[in-house]
Amino acid sequence: GPEVGLATYHLVDRQCELVTINSLLERQGIGATLIDAVRAEAVKAGCARLWLVTTNDNLHALGSCLQGRATIANKSGAKSKH
């Protein structure tokens, strides 16, 4: 099918940093699919941690993509499950 998104990631020391997520179509589950694909690659590589740094400028996408997939820590270190 057509290319509708792109994720970039960096693997080092049993950790995976999800660097970018880009989706050409909104509200289609593309971001969540990309996160799942990167997670699968991280598991294959033996990573113990998958992490990303993001902004809160698209809260709908952030909530949808991370739902059930993440523990979110804010600047103060407070954590919540998503």
Side-chain angles (χ1 to χ4, degrees), residues 19-79:
V19 180
T20 67
I21 304 171
N22 299 80
S23 172
L24 298 178
L25 304 172
E26 294 182 6
R27 300 179 189 254
Q28 302 292 313
I30 296 164
T33 300
L34 290 168
I35 290 172
D36 289 343
V38 171
R39 182 189 326 186
E41 291 301 313
V43 168
K44 277 196 252 181
C47 292
R49 180 176 181 229
L50 170 62
W51 61 282
L52 64 95
V53 176
T54 187
T55 63
N56 62 358
D57 61 341
N58 189 345
L59 292 177
H60 173 77
L62 181 61
S64 296
C65 287
L66 297 180
Q67 186 173 19
R69 294 175 175 82
T71 299
I72 297 177
N74 64 24
K75 285 183 181 181
S76 70
K79 295 180 181 179

Short mmCIF file of all heavy atoms in Angstrom, two decimals, residues 19-79:
data_model
loop_
_atom_site.label_atom_id
_atom_site.label_comp_id
_atom_site.label_asym_id
_atom_site.label_seq_id
_atom_site.Cartn_x
_atom_site.Cartn_y
_atom_site.Cartn_z
N VAL A 19 12.66 8.39 18.08
CA VAL A 19 13.09 9.75 17.80
C VAL A 19 11.98 10.56 17.13
O VAL A 19 11.69 11.69 17.53
CB VAL A 19 14.37 9.76 16.93
CG1 VAL A 19 14.81 11.18 16.62
CG2 VAL A 19 15.48 8.98 17.62
N THR A 20 11.36 10.00 16.09
CA THR A 20 10.28 10.72 15.40
C THR A 20 9.15 9.77 15.04
O THR A 20 9.37 8.58 14.78
CB THR A 20 10.75 11.41 14.11
OG1 THR A 20 11.12 10.40 13.15
CG2 THR A 20 11.89 12.36 14.35
N ILE A 21 7.96 10.32 15.00
CA ILE A 21 6.77 9.63 14.48
C ILE A 21 6.08 10.63 13.57
O ILE A 21 5.74 11.73 14.00
CB ILE A 21 5.78 9.23 15.59
CG1 ILE A 21 6.44 8.37 16.65
CG2 ILE A 21 4.58 8.51 14.99
CD1 ILE A 21 5.56 8.14 17.86
N ASN A 22 5.89 10.25 12.33
CA ASN A 22 5.22 11.12 11.37
C ASN A 22 4.10 10.34 10.69
O ASN A 22 4.33 9.25 10.18
CB ASN A 22 6.20 11.63 10.31
CG ASN A 22 7.32 12.44 10.91
OD1 ASN A 22 8.27 11.87 11.44
ND2 ASN A 22 7.20 13.74 10.85
N SER A 23 2.92 10.92 10.71
CA SER A 23 1.77 10.30 10.07
C SER A 23 1.18 11.27 9.05
O SER A 23 1.00 12.44 9.34
CB SER A 23 0.72 9.97 11.14
OG SER A 23 -0.47 9.54 10.54
N LEU A 24 0.89 10.76 7.87
CA LEU A 24 0.31 11.61 6.83
C LEU A 24 -1.20 11.73 6.95
O LEU A 24 -1.80 12.63 6.37
CB LEU A 24 0.68 11.08 5.45
CG LEU A 24 2.18 11.05 5.13
CD1 LEU A 24 2.41 10.47 3.75
CD2 LEU A 24 2.79 12.43 5.25
N LEU A 25 -1.83 10.82 7.67
CA LEU A 25 -3.28 10.82 7.86
C LEU A 25 -3.59 10.84 9.35
O LEU A 25 -3.01 10.07 10.12
CB LEU A 25 -3.91 9.58 7.22
CG LEU A 25 -3.63 9.36 5.74
CD1 LEU A 25 -4.14 8.00 5.30
CD2 LEU A 25 -4.27 10.47 4.92
N GLU A 26 -4.52 11.68 9.77
CA GLU A 26 -4.88 11.76 11.17
C GLU A 26 -5.98 10.77 11.52
O GLU A 26 -6.80 10.40 10.69
CB GLU A 26 -5.36 13.18 11.51
CG GLU A 26 -4.26 14.22 11.40
CD GLU A 26 -4.74 15.60 11.78
OE1 GLU A 26 -5.89 15.74 12.26
OE2 GLU A 26 -3.97 16.55 11.62
N ARG A 27 -5.97 10.34 12.80
CA ARG A 27 -7.03 9.51 13.39
C ARG A 27 -7.26 8.20 12.64
O ARG A 27 -8.39 7.74 12.50
CB ARG A 27 -8.33 10.31 13.50
CG ARG A 27 -8.16 11.54 14.38
CD ARG A 27 -9.45 12.34 14.46
NE ARG A 27 -9.20 13.60 15.11
CZ ARG A 27 -9.60 13.87 16.35
NH1 ARG A 27 -10.25 12.99 17.05
NH2 ARG A 27 -9.34 15.05 16.87
N GLN A 28 -6.17 7.62 12.14
CA GLN A 28 -6.26 6.34 11.44
C GLN A 28 -5.49 5.24 12.18
O GLN A 28 -5.37 4.13 11.66
CB GLN A 28 -5.71 6.48 10.02
CG GLN A 28 -6.39 7.52 9.18
CD GLN A 28 -7.82 7.14 8.84
OE1 GLN A 28 -8.10 6.02 8.43
NE2 GLN A 28 -8.73 8.07 9.05
N GLY A 29 -4.90 5.54 13.32
CA GLY A 29 -4.13 4.55 14.07
C GLY A 29 -2.72 4.37 13.57
O GLY A 29 -2.03 3.43 13.96
N ILE A 30 -2.28 5.26 12.70
CA ILE A 30 -0.94 5.12 12.11
C ILE A 30 0.14 5.30 13.16
O ILE A 30 1.10 4.54 13.22
CB ILE A 30 -0.78 6.09 10.93
CG1 ILE A 30 -1.76 5.71 9.82
CG2 ILE A 30 0.66 6.09 10.42
CD1 ILE A 30 -1.96 6.79 8.78
N GLY A 31 0.00 6.30 14.01
CA GLY A 31 0.99 6.53 15.06
C GLY A 31 1.12 5.33 15.99
O GLY A 31 2.23 4.90 16.32
N ALA A 32 -0.01 4.78 16.40
CA ALA A 32 0.00 3.61 17.28
C ALA A 32 0.66 2.41 16.58
O ALA A 32 1.43 1.67 17.19
CB ALA A 32 -1.42 3.25 17.71
N THR A 33 0.37 2.24 15.31
CA THR A 33 0.97 1.16 14.54
C THR A 33 2.48 1.33 14.44
O THR A 33 3.25 0.37 14.57
CB THR A 33 0.33 1.07 13.14
OG1 THR A 33 -1.07 0.82 13.30
CG2 THR A 33 0.96 -0.03 12.30
N LEU A 34 2.92 2.57 14.24
CA LEU A 34 4.35 2.84 14.17
C LEU A 34 5.03 2.57 15.50
O LEU A 34 6.11 1.96 15.56
CB LEU A 34 4.60 4.29 13.74
CG LEU A 34 4.25 4.61 12.28
CD1 LEU A 34 4.26 6.12 12.07
CD2 LEU A 34 5.20 3.92 11.33
N ILE A 35 4.41 2.98 16.61
CA ILE A 35 4.97 2.71 17.93
C ILE A 35 5.07 1.21 18.16
O ILE A 35 6.10 0.71 18.64
CB ILE A 35 4.14 3.37 19.03
CG1 ILE A 35 4.31 4.89 18.97
CG2 ILE A 35 4.53 2.84 20.41
CD1 ILE A 35 3.38 5.67 19.88
N ASP A 36 4.04 0.46 17.79
CA ASP A 36 4.07 -1.00 17.95
C ASP A 36 5.18 -1.63 17.11
O ASP A 36 5.84 -2.57 17.56
CB ASP A 36 2.71 -1.61 17.59
CG ASP A 36 1.63 -1.29 18.62
OD1 ASP A 36 1.97 -0.87 19.76
OD2 ASP A 36 0.44 -1.45 18.27
N ALA A 37 5.40 -1.11 15.91
CA ALA A 37 6.46 -1.65 15.05
C ALA A 37 7.84 -1.38 15.64
O ALA A 37 8.71 -2.26 15.64
CB ALA A 37 6.35 -1.06 13.64
N VAL A 38 8.03 -0.18 16.17
CA VAL A 38 9.32 0.14 16.80
C VAL A 38 9.50 -0.71 18.05
O VAL A 38 10.59 -1.23 18.31
CB VAL A 38 9.44 1.65 17.12
CG1 VAL A 38 10.67 1.94 17.96
CG2 VAL A 38 9.48 2.45 15.82
N ARG A 39 8.43 -0.88 18.83
CA ARG A 39 8.52 -1.73 20.02
C ARG A 39 8.94 -3.16 19.63
O ARG A 39 9.78 -3.77 20.29
CB ARG A 39 7.20 -1.79 20.76
CG ARG A 39 7.32 -2.63 22.02
CD ARG A 39 6.03 -2.93 22.73
NE ARG A 39 5.07 -1.85 22.66
CZ ARG A 39 3.93 -1.87 23.30
NH1 ARG A 39 3.60 -2.87 24.05
NH2 ARG A 39 3.08 -0.87 23.18
N ALA A 40 8.38 -3.70 18.57
CA ALA A 40 8.74 -5.04 18.11
C ALA A 40 10.22 -5.12 17.75
O ALA A 40 10.91 -6.10 18.09
CB ALA A 40 7.87 -5.44 16.92
N GLU A 41 10.73 -4.09 17.09
CA GLU A 41 12.15 -4.06 16.74
C GLU A 41 13.02 -3.97 18.00
O GLU A 41 14.07 -4.60 18.09
CB GLU A 41 12.46 -2.90 15.79
CG GLU A 41 11.86 -3.08 14.41
CD GLU A 41 12.38 -4.34 13.72
OE1 GLU A 41 13.60 -4.59 13.73
OE2 GLU A 41 11.54 -5.07 13.16
N ALA A 42 12.57 -3.18 18.98
CA ALA A 42 13.31 -3.04 20.23
C ALA A 42 13.36 -4.38 20.98
O ALA A 42 14.41 -4.77 21.51
CB ALA A 42 12.68 -1.97 21.11
N VAL A 43 12.26 -5.10 20.99
CA VAL A 43 12.21 -6.41 21.64
C VAL A 43 13.17 -7.37 20.94
O VAL A 43 13.96 -8.07 21.58
CB VAL A 43 10.77 -6.97 21.67
CG1 VAL A 43 10.75 -8.44 22.06
CG2 VAL A 43 9.91 -6.15 22.62
N LYS A 44 13.14 -7.38 19.61
CA LYS A 44 14.05 -8.23 18.84
C LYS A 44 15.51 -7.92 19.14
O LYS A 44 16.35 -8.82 19.14
CB LYS A 44 13.82 -8.06 17.33
CG LYS A 44 12.69 -8.88 16.77
CD LYS A 44 12.79 -8.94 15.26
CE LYS A 44 11.72 -8.11 14.64
NZ LYS A 44 11.73 -8.14 13.17
N ALA A 45 15.80 -6.65 19.39
CA ALA A 45 17.17 -6.22 19.67
C ALA A 45 17.56 -6.44 21.13
O ALA A 45 18.69 -6.14 21.52
CB ALA A 45 17.34 -4.76 19.29
N GLY A 46 16.62 -6.95 21.94
CA GLY A 46 16.92 -7.21 23.35
C GLY A 46 16.88 -5.98 24.24
O GLY A 46 17.46 -5.97 25.32
N CYS A 47 16.19 -4.95 23.80
CA CYS A 47 16.11 -3.72 24.59
C CYS A 47 15.24 -3.91 25.83
O CYS A 47 14.20 -4.56 25.78
CB CYS A 47 15.54 -2.58 23.75
SG CYS A 47 16.63 -2.06 22.41
N ALA A 48 15.69 -3.30 26.92
CA ALA A 48 14.94 -3.33 28.17
C ALA A 48 14.10 -2.07 28.34
O ALA A 48 13.25 -2.02 29.22
CB ALA A 48 15.90 -3.46 29.35
N ARG A 49 14.33 -1.09 27.49
CA ARG A 49 13.62 0.19 27.63
C ARG A 49 13.37 0.80 26.26
O ARG A 49 14.25 0.82 25.40
CB ARG A 49 14.49 1.14 28.46
CG ARG A 49 13.88 2.49 28.69
CD ARG A 49 14.79 3.32 29.62
NE ARG A 49 14.20 4.61 29.87
CZ ARG A 49 14.84 5.77 29.76
NH1 ARG A 49 16.13 5.78 29.44
NH2 ARG A 49 14.25 6.90 30.00
N LEU A 50 12.16 1.28 26.07
CA LEU A 50 11.78 2.07 24.89
C LEU A 50 11.30 3.41 25.41
O LEU A 50 10.43 3.46 26.28
CB LEU A 50 10.67 1.38 24.10
CG LEU A 50 9.99 2.17 22.98
CD1 LEU A 50 10.97 2.56 21.90
CD2 LEU A 50 8.83 1.38 22.40
N TRP A 51 11.89 4.49 24.91
CA TRP A 51 11.51 5.80 25.43
C TRP A 51 11.43 6.83 24.32
O TRP A 51 11.96 6.65 23.23
CB TRP A 51 12.47 6.24 26.53
CG TRP A 51 13.90 6.40 26.10
CD1 TRP A 51 14.81 5.40 25.90
CD2 TRP A 51 14.57 7.61 25.81
NE1 TRP A 51 16.01 5.93 25.51
CE2 TRP A 51 15.90 7.29 25.46
CE3 TRP A 51 14.20 8.94 25.83
CZ2 TRP A 51 16.84 8.25 25.11
CZ3 TRP A 51 15.14 9.91 25.49
CH2 TRP A 51 16.44 9.55 25.15
N LEU A 52 10.73 7.93 24.63
CA LEU A 52 10.64 9.05 23.72
C LEU A 52 10.43 10.33 24.51
O LEU A 52 9.99 10.29 25.65
CB LEU A 52 9.51 8.88 22.70
CG LEU A 52 8.09 8.84 23.24
CD1 LEU A 52 7.46 10.20 23.17
CD2 LEU A 52 7.27 7.84 22.45
N VAL A 53 10.78 11.42 23.91
CA VAL A 53 10.52 12.74 24.47
C VAL A 53 9.56 13.42 23.51
O VAL A 53 9.76 13.38 22.29
CB VAL A 53 11.83 13.57 24.59
CG1 VAL A 53 11.53 14.98 25.07
CG2 VAL A 53 12.80 12.87 25.52
N THR A 54 8.52 14.04 24.05
CA THR A 54 7.52 14.66 23.19
C THR A 54 7.01 15.95 23.78
O THR A 54 7.31 16.28 24.93
CB THR A 54 6.35 13.68 22.93
OG1 THR A 54 5.48 14.24 21.96
CG2 THR A 54 5.58 13.39 24.21
N THR A 55 6.25 16.67 23.00
CA THR A 55 5.57 17.88 23.47
C THR A 55 4.10 17.55 23.67
O THR A 55 3.65 16.45 23.32
CB THR A 55 5.71 19.02 22.45
OG1 THR A 55 5.06 18.62 21.24
CG2 THR A 55 7.17 19.34 22.17
N ASN A 56 3.36 18.48 24.19
CA ASN A 56 1.93 18.24 24.38
C ASN A 56 1.08 19.06 23.40
O ASN A 56 -0.05 19.39 23.69
CB ASN A 56 1.52 18.55 25.82
CG ASN A 56 1.75 19.99 26.20
OD1 ASN A 56 2.26 20.77 25.40
ND2 ASN A 56 1.39 20.35 27.41
N ASP A 57 1.60 19.34 22.22
CA ASP A 57 0.87 20.16 21.26
C ASP A 57 -0.20 19.39 20.49
O ASP A 57 -1.01 19.99 19.81
CB ASP A 57 1.83 20.87 20.30
CG ASP A 57 2.66 19.94 19.46
OD1 ASP A 57 2.80 18.77 19.84
OD2 ASP A 57 3.20 20.39 18.44
N ASN A 58 -0.24 18.08 20.61
CA ASN A 58 -1.29 17.28 19.98
C ASN A 58 -1.71 16.21 20.98
O ASN A 58 -1.37 15.04 20.85
CB ASN A 58 -0.78 16.66 18.67
CG ASN A 58 -1.90 16.01 17.89
OD1 ASN A 58 -2.99 15.76 18.41
ND2 ASN A 58 -1.64 15.71 16.63
N LEU A 59 -2.47 16.64 21.99
CA LEU A 59 -2.83 15.74 23.09
C LEU A 59 -3.69 14.57 22.63
O LEU A 59 -3.57 13.47 23.16
CB LEU A 59 -3.54 16.52 24.19
CG LEU A 59 -2.64 17.51 24.93
CD1 LEU A 59 -3.46 18.30 25.95
CD2 LEU A 59 -1.48 16.81 25.60
N HIS A 60 -4.56 14.77 21.63
CA HIS A 60 -5.37 13.66 21.15
C HIS A 60 -4.48 12.55 20.59
O HIS A 60 -4.63 11.38 20.93
CB HIS A 60 -6.37 14.11 20.08
CG HIS A 60 -7.08 12.95 19.45
ND1 HIS A 60 -8.10 12.29 20.09
CD2 HIS A 60 -6.87 12.30 18.30
CE1 HIS A 60 -8.49 11.28 19.33
NE2 HIS A 60 -7.76 11.26 18.23
N ALA A 61 -3.56 12.92 19.74
CA ALA A 61 -2.67 11.92 19.14
C ALA A 61 -1.80 11.28 20.20
O ALA A 61 -1.62 10.05 20.20
CB ALA A 61 -1.80 12.57 18.06
N LEU A 62 -1.28 12.07 21.11
CA LEU A 62 -0.43 11.53 22.17
C LEU A 62 -1.20 10.50 23.00
O LEU A 62 -0.71 9.41 23.24
CB LEU A 62 0.07 12.67 23.05
CG LEU A 62 1.00 12.29 24.19
CD1 LEU A 62 2.27 11.65 23.64
CD2 LEU A 62 1.33 13.51 25.03
N GLY A 63 -2.41 10.84 23.42
CA GLY A 63 -3.21 9.92 24.21
C GLY A 63 -3.56 8.66 23.45
O GLY A 63 -3.48 7.55 23.98
N SER A 64 -3.93 8.80 22.18
CA SER A 64 -4.30 7.63 21.38
C SER A 64 -3.12 6.72 21.11
O SER A 64 -3.22 5.50 21.21
CB SER A 64 -4.90 8.09 20.04
OG SER A 64 -6.08 8.79 20.24
N CYS A 65 -1.99 7.31 20.76
CA CYS A 65 -0.81 6.51 20.42
C CYS A 65 -0.25 5.77 21.63
O CYS A 65 0.25 4.67 21.50
CB CYS A 65 0.29 7.38 19.82
SG CYS A 65 -0.06 7.94 18.16
N LEU A 66 -0.30 6.39 22.78
CA LEU A 66 0.35 5.81 23.96
C LEU A 66 -0.60 5.01 24.84
O LEU A 66 -0.16 4.37 25.78
CB LEU A 66 1.00 6.92 24.79
CG LEU A 66 2.13 7.66 24.09
CD1 LEU A 66 2.69 8.73 25.00
CD2 LEU A 66 3.22 6.72 23.63
N GLN A 67 -1.89 5.02 24.53
CA GLN A 67 -2.86 4.34 25.38
C GLN A 67 -2.48 2.87 25.57
O GLN A 67 -2.35 2.11 24.63
CB GLN A 67 -4.25 4.43 24.75
CG GLN A 67 -5.32 3.87 25.64
CD GLN A 67 -6.71 4.11 25.07
OE1 GLN A 67 -6.86 4.38 23.88
NE2 GLN A 67 -7.71 4.02 25.90
N GLY A 68 -2.26 2.51 26.83
CA GLY A 68 -1.90 1.14 27.16
C GLY A 68 -0.48 0.76 26.79
O GLY A 68 -0.08 -0.38 26.95
N ARG A 69 0.30 1.70 26.31
CA ARG A 69 1.64 1.39 25.81
C ARG A 69 2.76 2.02 26.62
O ARG A 69 3.91 1.77 26.34
CB ARG A 69 1.78 1.87 24.37
CG ARG A 69 0.91 1.15 23.39
CD ARG A 69 1.05 1.80 22.01
NE ARG A 69 0.31 1.06 21.02
CZ ARG A 69 -0.98 1.19 20.80
NH1 ARG A 69 -1.69 2.02 21.51
NH2 ARG A 69 -1.57 0.46 19.88
N ALA A 70 2.43 2.88 27.61
CA ALA A 70 3.50 3.67 28.20
C ALA A 70 3.25 4.08 29.64
O ALA A 70 2.11 4.14 30.08
CB ALA A 70 3.71 4.94 27.38
N THR A 71 4.33 4.35 30.32
CA THR A 71 4.31 5.09 31.57
C THR A 71 4.90 6.45 31.25
O THR A 71 5.99 6.54 30.70
CB THR A 71 5.16 4.39 32.65
OG1 THR A 71 4.62 3.09 32.87
CG2 THR A 71 5.17 5.19 33.93
N ILE A 72 4.16 7.49 31.57
CA ILE A 72 4.60 8.84 31.22
C ILE A 72 5.16 9.52 32.46
O ILE A 72 4.52 9.53 33.51
CB ILE A 72 3.43 9.66 30.63
CG1 ILE A 72 2.96 9.00 29.33
CG2 ILE A 72 3.85 11.11 30.39
CD1 ILE A 72 1.77 9.67 28.70
N ALA A 73 6.34 10.08 32.33
CA ALA A 73 6.96 10.85 33.41
C ALA A 73 7.07 12.30 32.96
O ALA A 73 7.52 12.58 31.86
CB ALA A 73 8.34 10.31 33.74
N ASN A 74 6.63 13.22 33.82
CA ASN A 74 6.77 14.63 33.47
C ASN A 74 8.09 15.16 34.00
O ASN A 74 8.89 14.41 34.56
CB ASN A 74 5.58 15.44 33.97
CG ASN A 74 5.46 15.46 35.48
OD1 ASN A 74 6.43 15.26 36.20
ND2 ASN A 74 4.25 15.66 35.96
N LYS A 75 8.34 16.44 33.81
CA LYS A 75 9.61 17.04 34.21
C LYS A 75 9.94 16.80 35.69
O LYS A 75 11.08 16.69 36.05
CB LYS A 75 9.62 18.54 33.93
CG LYS A 75 9.79 18.89 32.48
CD LYS A 75 9.84 20.39 32.35
CE LYS A 75 9.98 20.81 30.91
NZ LYS A 75 10.06 22.26 30.78
N SER A 76 8.90 16.77 36.54
CA SER A 76 9.14 16.59 37.97
C SER A 76 9.44 15.14 38.34
O SER A 76 9.78 14.85 39.46
CB SER A 76 7.92 17.07 38.77
OG SER A 76 6.83 16.17 38.57
N GLY A 77 9.26 14.23 37.38
CA GLY A 77 9.50 12.82 37.64
C GLY A 77 8.24 12.06 38.02
O GLY A 77 8.27 10.85 38.19
N ALA A 78 7.11 12.76 38.17
CA ALA A 78 5.84 12.10 38.49
C ALA A 78 5.45 11.21 37.31
O ALA A 78 5.61 11.58 36.16
CB ALA A 78 4.77 13.13 38.76
N LYS A 79 4.94 10.02 37.61
CA LYS A 79 4.61 9.06 36.56
C LYS A 79 3.13 8.72 36.59
O LYS A 79 2.50 8.69 37.63
CB LYS A 79 5.43 7.78 36.73
CG LYS A 79 6.90 7.99 36.55
CD LYS A 79 7.66 6.71 36.71
CE LYS A 79 9.15 6.96 36.54
NZ LYS A 79 9.93 5.76 36.71
#
